[in-house]
Amino acid sequence: MLQESYILEVKTTGKGFIEITDNLKSFLKVSKIKNGYMNISILHTSASLLIQENADQTVQKDLKKFFDNICPEHDNYHHNSEGRDDMPAHLKSALLQTNLSISVLNNKIILGTWQGVYLFEHRISNKIRKVLVHLMGN
């Protein structure tokens, strides 16, 4: 059993989706692991990871709108030390995923035809997000 890991740094420019599928494929391509799994963890509490459609960007627009509606910025939250988007960002992160596991077979991550892996930024300001990518297998 082999293990390899690295920290992917993702620059965000406010709320929205950033596809990281190609970054994950690039790491896998240079690794020694051909079969196993890839564990992906975002090291923040106000952004999320998800697997979602990558063929039609209106899906991401509708998802963003949905989560903005159920976690509005203009509510009477107790936690707002970093601004009006602070607590809504934590709520979205709690509702979504901060960790994903993806199968690796024959040196390829296994995703459906229209699936991509996304970092979903929940904060208004630009950030540098860290994502731990951990491969295990042989």
Side-chain angles (χ1 to χ4, degrees):
M1 173 81 62
L2 299 172
Q3 294 187 47
E4 297 182 32
S5 63
Y6 88 111
I7 300 287
L8 170 63
E9 290 191 354
V10 180
K11 294 179 183 179
T12 69
T13 56
K15 292 195 285 183
F17 290 85
I18 299 167
E19 188 169 5
I20 60 172
T21 311
D22 288 341
N23 303 87
L24 302 175
K25 288 178 179 178
S26 294
F27 175 59
L28 180 59
K29 191 174 189 177
V30 298
S31 81
K32 296 176 181 145
I33 295 174
K34 305 298 178 212
N35 295 292
Y37 72 92
M38 178 182 285
N39 187 66
I40 310 155
S41 301
I42 189 158
L43 305 178
H44 304 274
T45 59
S46 56
S48 303
L49 298 170
L50 71 155
I51 296 173
Q52 197 46 256
E53 169 154 353
N54 65 358
D56 184 347
Q57 290 185 349
T58 60
V59 172
Q60 290 128 34
K61 288 179 184 178
D62 289 339
L63 282 168
K64 183 180 169 299
K65 180 180 175 183
F66 172 79
F67 282 103
D68 284 345
N69 285 337
I70 64 170
C71 302
E73 291 180 5
H74 303 292
D75 210 337
N76 194 19
Y77 300 111
H78 295 284
H79 180 73
N80 60 9
S81 58
E82 294 180 38
R84 71 176 200 258
D85 66 335
D86 197 359
M87 192 60 209
H90 292 292
L91 291 171
K92 292 171 190 174
S93 181
L95 292 170
L96 293 161
Q97 299 175 70
T98 57
N99 182 277
L100 299 171
S101 290
I102 301 173
S103 294
V104 172
L105 297 172
N106 298 317
N107 203 233
K108 294 181 182 179
I109 59 175
I110 304 303
L111 293 169
T113 302
W114 307 115
Q115 289 182 324
V117 181
Y118 290 89
L119 184 151
F120 188 7
E121 177 61 64
H122 305 310
R123 301 302 303 267
I124 295 170
S125 61
N126 299 349
K127 303 284 184 189
I128 297 176
R129 299 300 193 173
K130 293 181 180 179
V131 178
L132 171 65
V133 183
H134 185 184
L135 281 168
M136 294 181 72
N138 52 39

